[in-house]
């Protein structure tokens, strides 16, 4: 990487002042150099590819020239190509042209030459287009879950619901069943699924992935495979495979396609067998920046003011799955872990943060948030992050920790920023104490992010115009956007999710309203007179900018 950076600086394509920053980012991230350049806004993937082609005098190719199926499927493993970000794009009897983002990667070229017994010529491809092509080629070459499931069910007889533990263990350890579960986890990781739903039905085993907040059916192998697959998952999560009458919760750590994941497994009895949900948490993934979260500049500045305070309480609110914990992780990364003692209490630990003492909640040994928090305040912390304030005991200890000179960050399940105050009061926190310690509350939701390649503008419909006038006070005409789907987004029109936010900063009037137990509507009304932008207003701004749709904003904010 250093050689490439040096040559880019010498060629005038990169400023020398940016090199140190890139090296720091590379030390903290496993992302390739072109991805870091794109994330920093210094060079687009296509710009990096052109620079590499010019500097090293190699051919350049676009995604349209890349194959849809793997070349040399018996000689080059899919995992090798994914790990090394390389893809053979054409061949003859003596030569293979290898698509690469980095044409200086001699080790990969040498490995491909040995495996194919051909000389290798590098071809530069923009890294984003190359990674999409690799995923599609690997997916096209791999058997589907349905194919693996039919093969597994068609082998040795599998009883639908064996009664004894030994039979369940025998079925769960069968090679076809292990292959099915491994392929399911691999497909989920490749599609960035957050959850896997395994649901037995009368005539099939339905498998669904939640991708970008939406469930998609992936496969439906035979129902007779259900007991074996679910037993395999339960063994991985150290659950009792013989107990099928009661819900169970467990965890597992796995490596999928060279990426490490924590799995949170929950089972529940249903009419046709046990239903299983697996939450996937990638442990090596870095917390995103405020910009990547979709944070407006004004709200980011308000959060930085909260983090600069020596003590007090800052809360992030929203429903389950709205990205609250991710926002707290991003906030923690803004703090100085060298000069400050930072301790987090989490369930589970989703990201590893350098310099932060991270403690995992373990309910099975009665190690909950309240018990850990009571101990943590004796460890001389400057900043404490509590993954979730779930009960009155945790809330009471958290408030007292904030009163005694600590900056305390936590999350709450409420529908709005202002609603967090009423929630804490309902938990039994005294109004005068809450008014003393609370500094600010961030409310957030996640909405679908439109594919920039296939999104298209359109004038608002009559219904959309009525919504804009009623809730947003928008001046018409305005332009909204929709996406029909394309190859880059796998036909979905969606490439991810982005946050919409509202920030309530506590001033003297808010403190007075808290002491008087004023309703959340009064708190929000005062905050809006001070310039607070609501989640709905932030969502409308993102809809007008083509980032999301108005329907998504309405769904997320429950405005009708």
């Amino acid at each position: 990487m250093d050689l490439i950076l040096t040559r880019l600086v010498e060629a005038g394509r990169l400023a020398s002042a940016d090199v140190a920053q890139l090296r720091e980012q590379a030390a903290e991230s496993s992302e390739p150099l072109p991805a870091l350049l794109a994330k920093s806004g210094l060079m687009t993937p296509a710009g990096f590819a052109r620079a590499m082609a010019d500097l090293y005098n190699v051919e350049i190719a676009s995604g349209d020239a890349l194959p849809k199926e793997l070349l040399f499927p018996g000689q080059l493993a899919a995992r090798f190509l994914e790990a090394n970000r390389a893809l053979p794009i054409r061949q003859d009897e003596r030569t293979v042209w290898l698509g690469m983002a980095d044409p200086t990667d001699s080790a990969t070229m040498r490995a491909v030459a040995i495996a194919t017994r051909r000389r290798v010529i590098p071809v530069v491809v923009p890294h984003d287009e190359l990674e999409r092509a690799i995923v599609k080629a690997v997916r096209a070459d791999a058997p589907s879950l349905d194919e693996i499931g039919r093969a597994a069910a068609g082998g040795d007889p599998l009883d639908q619901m064996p009664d004894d533990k030994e039979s369940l263990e025998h079925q769960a350890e069968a090679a076809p069943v292990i292959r099915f579960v491994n392929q399911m986890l691999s497909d989920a990781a490749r599609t960035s699924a957050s959850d896997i739903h395994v649901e037995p039905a009368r005539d099939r085993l339905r498998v669904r992935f939640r991708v970008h907040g939406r469930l998609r059916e992936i496969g439906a192998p035979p129902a007779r495979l259900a007991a074996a697959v679910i037993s395999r998952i339960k063994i991985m999560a150290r659950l009792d495979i013989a107990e099928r009458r009661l819900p169970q919760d467990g965890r597992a750590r796995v490596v999928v396609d060279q990426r490490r994941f924590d799995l949170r497994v929950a089972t529940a009895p249903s009419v046709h067998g046990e239903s299983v949900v697996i939450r996937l948490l990638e442990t090596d993934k870095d917390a995103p920046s405020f910009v990547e979260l979709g944070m407006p500049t004004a709200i980011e500045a308000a959060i930085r003011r909260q983090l600069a305070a020596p003590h007090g309480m800052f809360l992030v609110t929203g429903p389950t799955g709205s990205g609250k914990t991710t926002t707290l992780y991003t906030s923690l990364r803004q703090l100085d872990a060298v000069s400050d003692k930072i301790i987090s209490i989490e369930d589970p630990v989703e990201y590893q943060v350098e310099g932060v003492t991270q403690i995992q909640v373990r309910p099975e040994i009665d190690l909950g948030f309240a018990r850990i928090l009571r101990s943590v305040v004796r460890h001389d912390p400057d900043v404490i992050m509590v993954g979730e304030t779930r009960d009155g005991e945790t809330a009471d200890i958290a408030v007292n920790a904030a009163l005694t000179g600590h900056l305390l960050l936590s999350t709450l399940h409420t529908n709005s920023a202002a609603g967090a105050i009423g929630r804490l009061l309902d938990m039994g926190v005294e109004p005068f104490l809450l008014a003393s310690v609370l500094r600010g509350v961030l409310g957030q939701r996640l909405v679908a992010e439109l594919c920039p390649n296939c999104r298209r503008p359109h004038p608002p419909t009559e219904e959309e115009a009525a919504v804009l006038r009623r809730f947003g006070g928008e001046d018409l005409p305005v332009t909204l956007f929709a996406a029909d789907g394309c190859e880059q987004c796998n036909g979905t029109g969606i490439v991810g999710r982005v946050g919409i936010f509202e920030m309530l900063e506590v001033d003297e009037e808010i403190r007075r309203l808290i002491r008087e137990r004023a309703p959340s509507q009064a708190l929000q009304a005062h905050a809006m007179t001070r310039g607070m932008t609501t989640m709905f207003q932030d969502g409308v701004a993102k809809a007008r900018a083509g980032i999301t749709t108005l329907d998504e904003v309405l769904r997320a904010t429950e405005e009708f």
Side-chain angles (χ1 to χ4, degrees):
M1 186 185 79
D2 286 342
L3 178 60
I4 292 177
L5 289 174
T6 301
R7 295 203 62 177
L8 288 173
V9 172
E10 291 173 350
R13 308 238 182 186
L14 196 64
S16 56
D18 297 320
V19 171
Q21 176 188 349
L22 286 167
R23 287 191 176 118
E24 286 182 11
Q25 291 176 348
E28 298 174 356
S29 172
S30 60
E31 290 186 284
L33 177 59
L36 292 175
L37 287 165
K39 184 180 290 187
S40 303
L42 298 173
M43 193 175 295
T44 65
F48 181 82
R50 286 192 298 271
M52 291 296 96
D54 293 342
L55 290 174
Y56 294 97
N57 194 28
V58 295
E59 179 187 347
I60 187 170
S62 66
D64 297 336
L66 303 184
K68 301 295 187 294
E69 298 180 355
L70 285 180
L71 304 180
F72 309 103
Q75 296 162 276
L76 295 174
R79 288 187 178 182
F80 168 82
L81 298 175
E82 290 180 307
N84 293 280
R85 299 179 175 94
L87 182 69
I89 61 176
R90 62 181 187 273
Q91 62 168 319
D92 62 22
E93 293 181 356
R94 297 183 178 181
T95 308
V96 54
W97 284 263
L98 187 65
M100 311 174 72
D102 177 6
T104 68
D105 185 358
S106 58
T108 298
M109 288 188 281
R110 190 161 50 247
V112 172
I114 293 170
T116 62
R117 297 181 180 179
R118 290 169 170 81
R119 72 182 181 120
V120 174
I121 297 178
V123 178
V124 177
V125 182
H127 84 92
D128 54 344
E129 297 182 15
L130 178 64
E131 290 190 355
R132 284 195 294 269
I134 291 172
V135 168
K136 289 177 181 177
V138 168
R139 192 178 300 163
D141 185 62
S144 68
L145 277 182
D146 282 347
E147 291 171 337
I148 296 174
R150 285 193 296 271
D156 295 334
L158 292 169
D159 295 329
Q160 175 65 18
M161 291 296 285
D163 293 326
D164 60 287
K165 184 175 181 179
E166 290 74 16
S167 296
L168 286 168
E169 288 177 342
H170 174 72
Q171 291 188 8
E173 296 299 333
V177 173
I178 293 174
R179 186 185 180 202
F180 178 91
V181 174
N182 289 348
Q183 186 64 48
M184 180 178 69
L185 292 172
S186 179
D187 289 351
R190 188 176 293 119
T191 57
S192 300
S194 61
D195 302 88
I196 303 171
H197 293 247
V198 183
E199 303 159 323
R202 177 177 297 176
D203 57 349
R204 59 181 178 153
L205 175 65
R206 185 164 70 162
V207 178
R208 296 192 291 172
F209 293 170
R210 187 175 295 280
V211 181
H212 306 322
R214 300 182 180 186
L215 280 172
R216 303 175 187 171
E217 186 162 333
I218 304 300
R224 58 200 301 263
L225 194 64
V229 168
I230 291 168
S231 294
R232 175 63 187 167
I233 296 170
K234 291 171 73 174
I235 286 173
M236 292 172 64
R238 296 181 176 85
L239 300 177
D240 183 356
I241 62 173
E243 178 56 75
R244 301 190 298 269
R245 302 165 301 171
L246 299 174
Q248 296 186 68
D249 294 302
R251 291 180 177 148
R253 289 186 175 180
V254 298
V255 176
V256 180
D257 298 336
Q258 299 183 340
R259 297 157 62 190
R260 287 181 289 186
F261 289 86
D262 280 345
L263 307 181
R264 297 173 67 183
V265 179
T267 71
S270 69
V271 172
H272 299 291
E274 286 181 286
S275 175
V276 178
V277 177
I278 305 171
R279 168 65 58 88
L280 291 90
L281 301 167
E282 188 172 358
T283 57
D284 293 334
K285 191 174 181 180
D286 290 332
S289 66
F290 284 127
V291 173
E292 291 170 319
L293 291 175
M295 188 84 68
T297 304
I299 292 182
E300 178 183 343
I303 292 177
R304 291 185 184 278
R305 287 195 295 272
Q306 301 289 324
L307 299 174
H311 53 79
M313 177 183 283
F314 170 59
L315 302 172
V316 181
T317 72
T320 300
S322 61
K324 301 184 298 296
T325 305
T326 299
T327 297
L328 284 187
Y329 276 115
T330 302
S331 300
L332 283 183
R333 289 170 63 93
Q334 315 307 312
L335 298 170
D336 186 352
V338 175
S339 60
D340 290 333
K341 171 75 170 182
I342 305 173
I343 301 178
S344 70
I345 309 167
E346 307 171 50
D347 183 23
V349 175
E350 295 185 24
Y351 298 93
Q352 301 286 334
V353 183
E354 185 69 27
V356 177
T357 301
Q358 297 177 268
I359 303 173
Q360 169 75 54
V361 169
R362 298 181 63 188
E364 67 274 14
I365 59 172
D366 195 29
L367 190 65
F369 282 106
R371 185 173 181 180
I372 299 174
L373 183 55
R374 191 180 291 109
S375 172
V376 156
V377 294
R378 296 193 291 270
H379 284 248
D380 190 32
D382 296 292
V383 181
I384 304 171
M385 182 186 110
V386 180
E388 183 183 343
T389 301
R390 297 177 176 174
D391 52 58
E393 184 182 9
T394 304
D396 183 63
I397 301 169
V399 166
N400 280 281
L403 274 172
T404 53
H406 306 97
L407 178 61
L408 190 132
L409 317 177
S410 188
T411 71
L412 272 177
H413 286 93
T414 62
N415 291 328
S416 65
I421 294 168
R423 177 80 176 115
L424 288 171
L425 295 176
D426 289 342
M427 286 182 179
V429 177
E430 291 293 340
F432 71 93
L433 291 178
L434 184 59
S436 300
V437 301
L438 188 63
R439 298 187 55 84
V441 186
L442 177 73
Q444 68 178 68
R445 298 285 192 283
L446 293 177
V447 294
E449 182 178 1
L450 293 178
C451 173
N453 186 61
C454 63
R455 69 184 177 195
R456 52 176 177 75
H458 68 86
T461 64
E462 291 184 9
E463 293 81 2
E464 289 171 332
V467 168
L468 291 172
R469 280 192 293 264
R470 180 180 176 188
F471 293 107
E474 297 291 339
D475 294 329
L476 299 177
V478 298
T479 300
L480 298 176
F481 290 80
D484 298 323
C486 65
E487 189 173 322
Q488 290 190 16
C489 60
N490 294 318
T492 64
I494 299 170
V495 294
R497 290 193 290 175
V498 67
I500 56 176
F501 305 90
E502 63 184 20
M503 181 72 186
L504 185 150
E505 291 189 88
V506 176
D507 59 13
E508 287 303 320
E509 179 62 16
I510 293 288
R511 291 190 179 93
R512 183 186 67 80
L513 292 172
I514 293 173
R515 287 192 291 268
E516 295 176 357
R517 292 182 176 268
S520 58
Q521 294 89 338
L523 296 163
Q524 177 153 321
H526 171 72
M528 291 179 68
T529 64
R530 297 291 304 273
M532 183 183 87
T533 300
T534 66
M535 279 185 284
F536 179 74
Q537 291 169 333
D538 183 34
V540 168
K542 287 182 168 70
R544 296 185 65 176
I547 297 172
T548 189
T549 67
L550 186 60
D551 284 345
E552 274 290 299
V553 176
L554 291 172
R555 177 195 59 79
T557 59
E558 301 177 356
E559 297 278 12
F560 297 101

